[in-house]
């Protein structure tokens, strides 16, 4: 049975060139970058080259890239340090953030008694910017944390616009860009954002490595303490092969972006067309013009099929999700869809189909055949 992977928002297939690069480092360049001998110096220069590669793609200084283990760690670190060390008294965020932000903000609220305000979400899943501006009118030291591309419904935030609004109100701006880094251009020299985060496994790199962009003179302090790695901001011996794999994956993603974005966008259009024919009553959860890598749809099939639909597709070798991967084992509705759908629609099956350049029209055809036979 041919297996079909339509869950690239959860994680992506690693590129062959990335594996080759990582294998070389693992076997040949095993020095500890903190050692002063030639092995260490070699590892250190490889590490710094990776940092430069990443910084170049995002148009920032390499000093502003801090390597971490994943998107979750980067989000936790930034949010916590902004409250603890920069003494922010209030966070404005949204109820449709990834749990790596949402649960961290809730924990900080309990621990530090900070004020948390959730900006209104429009029915198409977009952030209500007018509400954000109204919330920012309060005179309190504030952090705004809003994601760039939503991992479940693919709605896109205008980073530049929100960054400027934050600047006008003297608010610090953090954006969880885990779903967009490597998949759309991000120019950090022009976008007024203080912190963004990325995770290599979302752009065809290895798992267990990510980075944070921390704008110069941020005042951030480490989450935990140890050696001097990453200027003391993120101690612990660096996973050089992981970092090299991440830099290679990002370089390839941006090098192929124009071609792969077109290919994936065409696939998404193809899927929508097929759904219009086979399931004319289907609805798109989120914005019609959402991000090209994700499509979240509500299917007009009986409610009693909701619980078994993913299982059924899995039996047919088709992998996709109902929401974010961390929740996909749960049958409770996604916290993102809960913010947007009626109680009636929440009971119906919604599917998140997410693509990569490895997908083909045949994958979509197989999905449609499987869905028709439910
Ligand atoms: N933020 C978003 C938007 C995500 O989609 C994910 C992954 O699902 C994360 C954060 C967490 O990233 P990681 O798996 O690297 O911890």
């Amino acid at each position: 049975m041919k297996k079909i992977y339509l869950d690239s928002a959860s994680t992506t297939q690693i590129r062959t060139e990335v594996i080759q690069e990582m294998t070389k480092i693992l076997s040949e360049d095993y020095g500890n970058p903190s050692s002063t001998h030639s092995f260490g110096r070699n590892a250190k220069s490889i590490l710094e080259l990776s940092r430069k590669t990443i910084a170049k793609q995002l148009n920032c200084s390499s000093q502003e890239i801090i390597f971490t283990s994943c998107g979750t760690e980067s989000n936790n670190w930034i949010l916590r340090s902004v409250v603890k060390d920069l003494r922010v008294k209030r966070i404005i965020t949204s109820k449709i953030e990834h749990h790596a932000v949402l649960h961290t903000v809730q924990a900080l609220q309990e621990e530090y008694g900070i004020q948390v305000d959730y900006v209104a979400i429009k029915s198409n899943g977009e952030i209500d910017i007018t509400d954000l501006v109204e919330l920012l009118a309060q005179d309190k030291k504030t952090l705004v944390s809003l994601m760039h591309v939503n991992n479940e419904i693919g709605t896109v935030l205008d980073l530049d616009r929100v960054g400027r609004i934050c600047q006008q109100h003297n608010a610090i701006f953090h954006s969880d860009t885990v779903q967009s880094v490597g998949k759309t251009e991000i120019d950090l020299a022009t976008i007024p954002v203080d912190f963004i985060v990325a995770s290599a496994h979302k752009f065809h790199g290895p798992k267990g490595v990510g980075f944070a962009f921390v704008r110069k003179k941020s005042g951030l302090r480490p989450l935990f303490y140890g050696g001097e790695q990453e200027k003391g901001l993120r101690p612990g011996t660096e996973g050089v092969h992981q970092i090299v794999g991440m830099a290679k994956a990002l370089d390839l993603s941006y090098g192929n972006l124009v071609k792969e974005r077109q290919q994936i966008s065409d696939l998404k259009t193809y899927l929508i067309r097929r759904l219009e024919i086979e399931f004319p009553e289907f609805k798109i959860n989120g914005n019609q013009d959402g991000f090209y890598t994700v499509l979240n749809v509500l299917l007009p099939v009986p409610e009693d099929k909701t619980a078994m639909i993913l299982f059924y597709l899995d039996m047919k070798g088709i992998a996709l999700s109902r929401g974010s991967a961390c929740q996909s084992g749960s049958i409770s509705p996604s916290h993102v869809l809960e913010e947007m759908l009626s109680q009636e629609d929440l009971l119906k099956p919604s599917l998140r189909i997410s693509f990569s350049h490895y997908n083909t029209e045949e994958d979509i055809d197989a999905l449609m055949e499987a869905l028709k036979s439910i």
Side-chain angles (χ1 to χ4, degrees):
M1 179 171 68
K2 185 182 178 256
K3 287 207 161 202
I4 292 168
Y5 190 72
L6 286 165
D7 201 17
S8 286
S10 297
T11 195
T12 54
Q13 185 181 338
I14 193 161
R15 291 186 201 256
T16 319
E17 302 94 313
V18 172
I19 300 174
Q20 283 162 356
E21 197 91 354
M22 290 176 72
T23 317
K24 182 195 160 285
I25 303 291
L26 276 169
S27 55
E28 295 170 23
D29 303 299
Y30 50 85
N32 183 330
S34 299
S35 303
T36 50
H37 49 62
S38 65
F39 291 80
R41 292 197 309 273
N42 177 46
K44 178 82 178 161
S45 78
I46 292 170
L47 196 72
E48 293 315 317
L49 203 62
S50 297
R51 201 187 307 278
K52 267 194 197 141
T53 303
I54 293 171
K56 187 164 166 239
Q57 292 298 352
L58 300 173
N59 205 12
C60 64
S61 148
S62 52
Q63 290 161 19
E64 294 170 313
I65 300 295
I66 307 292
F67 297 129
T68 65
S69 68
C70 61
T72 302
E73 181 193 326
S74 305
N75 281 329
N76 268 267
W77 169 41
I78 293 163
L79 293 169
R80 182 162 288 269
S81 182
V82 163
V83 172
K84 185 168 151 281
D85 307 311
L86 306 190
R87 313 221 174 247
V88 150
K89 298 281 175 260
R90 175 199 195 203
I91 295 181
I92 300 176
T93 186
S94 84
K95 291 218 168 124
I96 63 167
E97 299 298 305
H98 189 275
H99 282 156
V101 167
L102 220 42
H103 289 169
T104 308
V105 169
Q106 284 159 2
L108 291 168
Q109 184 177 24
E110 276 175 32
E111 286 173 51
Y112 291 89
I114 53 163
Q115 180 181 336
V116 176
D117 290 302
Y118 296 97
V119 66
I121 306 293
K122 299 198 277 189
S123 59
N124 67 1
E126 285 181 355
I127 296 295
D128 185 339
I129 303 283
T130 315
D131 189 45
L132 175 66
V133 173
E134 274 169 28
L135 286 171
L136 278 166
Q138 278 184 33
D139 189 21
K140 219 171 201 182
K141 192 160 182 192
T142 299
L143 167 81
V144 172
S145 177
L146 291 171
M147 70 203 306
H148 189 193
V149 170
N150 185 280
N151 53 305
E152 292 196 30
I153 52 173
T155 40
V156 183
L157 184 80
D158 184 340
L159 277 188
D160 199 54
R161 183 170 173 214
V162 172
R164 286 182 201 289
I165 291 169
C166 289
Q167 239 178 5
Q168 281 157 15
H169 292 85
N170 259 328
I172 301 172
F173 180 32
H174 159 254
S175 183
D176 177 344
T177 50
V178 164
Q179 291 290 338
S180 58
V181 167
K183 296 175 196 155
T184 190
E185 296 85 353
I186 298 179
D187 183 350
L188 291 169
T190 58
I191 301 172
V193 61
D194 298 286
F195 309 105
I196 71 165
V197 307
S199 180
H201 75 99
K202 305 287 187 183
F203 50 83
H204 305 283
K207 292 176 184 54
V209 63
F211 65 85
F213 159 78
V214 176
R215 203 172 280 286
K216 259 181 218 135
K217 302 196 184 131
S218 72
L220 236 55
R221 306 199 56 195
L223 187 61
F224 43 84
Y225 291 83
E228 278 303 305
Q229 293 93 348
E230 301 299 299
K231 291 185 264 133
L233 286 174
R234 206 292 186 169
T237 304
E238 301 90 340
V240 183
H241 63 296
Q242 302 279 79
I243 291 166
V244 166
M246 171 162 70
K248 180 77 181 174
L250 194 69
D251 213 28
L252 287 169
S253 285
Y254 279 118
N256 294 313
L257 182 62
V258 173
K259 184 178 81 198
E260 289 174 357
R261 179 167 44 200
Q262 188 59 53
Q263 185 199 335
I264 298 168
S265 304
D266 290 347
L267 265 188
K268 181 170 167 176
T269 308
Y270 180 70
L271 172 61
I272 294 174
R273 265 201 221 114
R274 294 273 339 242
L275 284 165
E276 279 164 355
I277 295 165
E278 310 292 354
F279 297 95
E281 321 257 280
F282 90 102
K283 284 191 221 158
I284 294 180
N285 296 323
N287 195 333
Q288 300 280 335
D289 312 315
F291 202 58
Y292 68 101
T293 55
V294 193
L295 183 69
N296 196 314
V297 288
L298 192 132
L299 290 178
V301 302
E303 282 162 26
D304 57 340
K305 305 240 162 98
T306 302
M308 51 69 74
I309 196 161
L310 284 185
F311 177 67
Y312 178 80
L313 291 172
D314 190 30
M315 298 240 293
K316 300 218 161 225
I318 302 172
L320 45 82
S321 300
R322 288 207 298 134
S324 78
C326 340
Q327 298 163 273
S328 53
S330 144
I331 54 157
S332 55
S334 119
H335 71 283
V336 175
L337 295 185
E338 263 183 334
E339 291 302 311
M340 308 162 45
L341 299 186
S342 65
Q343 279 308 315
E344 195 194 350
D345 279 351
L346 272 177
L347 294 172
K348 294 184 189 144
S350 282
L351 294 179
R352 177 185 72 174
I353 302 144
S354 51
F355 318 90
S356 82
H357 62 282
Y358 291 119
N359 291 121
T360 60
E361 286 191 359
E362 287 71 49
D363 294 348
I364 306 294
D365 292 340
L367 170 67
M368 294 312 300
E369 289 317 306
L371 288 176
K372 269 165 42 185
S373 67
I374 281 173

